[in-house]
Amino acid sequence: MDAQEAKDKFIQNWGALGTVWGINRTMAQIHALLMISPKSLSADEIMEALQISRGNANINIRSLIDWGLVYKELKPGDRKEYFISEKDMWVVVRQIIVHRKKRELDPMLRVLDEITNSKVPEDSEEAIALNKTIRDIKLFSSKADSILEVLVKSDSNWFVGTFLKMIK
Amino acid sequence: MDAQEAKDKFIQNWGALGTVWGINRTMAQIHALLMISPKSLSADEIMEALQISRGNANINIRSLIDWGLVYKELKPGDRKEYFISEKDMWVVVRQIIVHRKKRELDPMLRVLDEITNSKVPEDSEEAIALNKTIRDIKLFSSKADSILEVLVKSDSNWFVGTFLKMIK
DNA sequence: TGTAACTTTCACAATTATTTGAAAGTTCAA
DNA sequence: TTGAACTTTCAAATAATTGTGAAAGTTACA
């Protein structure tokens, strides 16, 4: 396998993985491309490498910046913007967790609270089961939330080290 | 809010959450419906409650069984199959992790191994960066894998308890 | 066996998500 | 200011996913 082939394979697969992680294919591919690029790339270079349109490139680069996975780099004396990716896997995963927690877990918890606070009368077996399910999810989520908080705030080495010690 | 309204709201939102978690809307809705149902339901009851077709109900019920989130229940003297869901949130999340790890993480790691084993010549800055990225991802994944293994094998109370103690 | 009750399959339809590309907007050096 | 270089937007096109429903398949029991 030559270098180009290996690169393509990596980008393709990272893209496929992204789709099942709530990250669209192009966004994940741009991220893959930047992760394996030793230097920052311009929008045009990204469009060229992945054969995508300007609009598509623009939107997905912005999303990546939004997620904290890609940074802008301005070169003095050049009007173009260049992009460089976060390369520390720990930080990458952390950013994804933070972002998705905010986008998905939090709204769900809001809905559950809304239902809880509206005091659905427990006048049927069904209503009781609903309330119990909601209580369970909230309890579980608050635990998951604490764990994710720690995970997000801690340093990779500390976390993995302590964790692996704990299970011995 | 009455009980029906609360139920619908819960089902709708659980469905929406599913879509961003690699689980399709209907599959998540059926799961929600079963989670808040104190008794097992037949395919017809599910179709009726969610207003979906027989084919759709069938396929998604099978997937849920596949994921280990729903169980068949056979009532003596009744040819129909009834379905009941896993209600322990810890088990639900665990099953999802197991299933997705198998479906997503493992194939990615296979691709990375394939690239590594094909010995891409490190004859350019790019090829070096690619190899480094792949090494990093593999290192990270193997750590994540150990952690998930423990998480999957352990009991909820033990896990959360030990974890929260550890971070104090 | 025959047949009624139930489950599964699958071609096509509907829906949803993504991408394109051209036009509008912005920025900055002259 | 102007206009060239660059970025952003968005309506329409395309692609991908999901859902439908009727027909085929399966099963159990008379």
Side-chain angles (χ1 to χ4, degrees), chain A residues 56-98:
Chain A
N56 195 10
N58 182 268
I59 282 181
N60 286 295
I61 291 170
R62 294 308 131 189
S63 300
L64 283 165
I65 292 175
D66 223 54
W67 283 56
L69 298 175
V70 163
Y71 314 111
K72 259 187 218 184
E73 196 178 68
L74 294 170
K75 297 191 177 178
D78 191 341
R79 298 256 309 265
K80 262 195 202 119
E81 294 181 325
Y82 289 80
F83 305 98
I84 191 157
S85 82
E86 176 56 58
K87 292 194 170 67
D88 180 338
M89 277 303 287
W90 176 258
V91 176
V92 169
V93 171
R94 207 168 73 184
Q95 288 297 83
I96 292 175
I97 290 173
V98 169

Side-chain angles (χ1 to χ4, degrees), chain B residues 62-102:
Chain B
R62 295 309 130 190
S63 300
L64 284 165
I65 292 175
D66 225 53
W67 283 55
L69 298 175
V70 164
Y71 314 112
K72 259 186 217 184
E73 197 180 66
L74 294 170
K75 297 192 177 177
D78 190 340
R79 297 256 312 265
K80 265 199 200 110
E81 294 181 326
Y82 288 80
F83 303 98
I84 190 157
S85 82
E86 176 55 58
K87 292 193 170 66
D88 181 337
M89 277 304 288
W90 178 259
V91 176
V92 168
V93 171
R94 205 167 75 184
Q95 287 298 83
I96 292 175
I97 291 173
V98 169
H99 204 90
R100 297 195 60 181
K101 184 161 111 56
K102 196 162 56 194

Side-chain angles (χ1 to χ4, degrees), chain A residues 9 20 35 100 114 133, chain B residues 9 20 35 100 114 133:
Chain A
K9 192 157 211 162
V20 288
M35 271 204 297
R100 298 197 59 182
E114 201 187 321
T133 303
Chain B
K9 193 155 210 162
V20 287
M35 272 204 298
R100 297 195 60 181
E114 200 187 320
T133 303

Side-chain angles (χ1 to χ4, degrees), chain A residues 14 17 89-90 93 160, chain B residues 101 104-106 108-110 112 133-149:
Chain A
W14 200 251
L17 191 62
M89 277 303 287
W90 176 258
V93 171
V160 177
Chain B
K101 184 161 111 56
E104 295 149 27
L105 193 58
D106 297 355
M108 184 72 209
L109 290 176
R110 255 202 306 287
L112 296 181
T133 303
I134 290 178
R135 258 201 316 282
D136 285 351
I137 294 175
K138 278 164 73 172
L139 191 59
F140 180 86
S141 304
S142 69
K143 285 179 188 166
D145 212 69
S146 329
I147 291 177
L148 289 179
E149 277 301 302

Side-chain angles (χ1 to χ4, degrees), chain A residues 1 3 6 9 13-14 20 35-36 93 100 104 108 111 114 118 120 129-130 133 140 150 162-163 166-167, chain B residues 1 3 6 9 13-14 20-21 35-36 93 100 104 108 111 114 118 120 129-130 133 140 147 150 166-167:
Chain A
M1 191 170 349
K9 192 157 211 162
N13 278 280
W14 200 251
V20 288
M35 271 204 297
I36 60 178
V93 171
R100 298 197 59 182
E104 295 148 27
M108 184 73 208
V111 171
E114 201 187 321
S118 80
V120 176
L130 173 65
T133 303
F140 180 86
V150 176
T162 314
F163 194 95
M166 146 186 163
I167 62 179
Chain B
M1 192 171 346
K9 193 155 210 162
N13 278 280
W14 200 250
V20 287
W21 267 92
M35 272 204 298
I36 60 177
V93 171
R100 297 195 60 181
E104 295 149 27
M108 184 72 209
V111 171
E114 200 187 320
S118 81
V120 177
L130 173 64
T133 303
F140 180 86
I147 291 177
V150 175
M166 144 187 163
I167 63 179

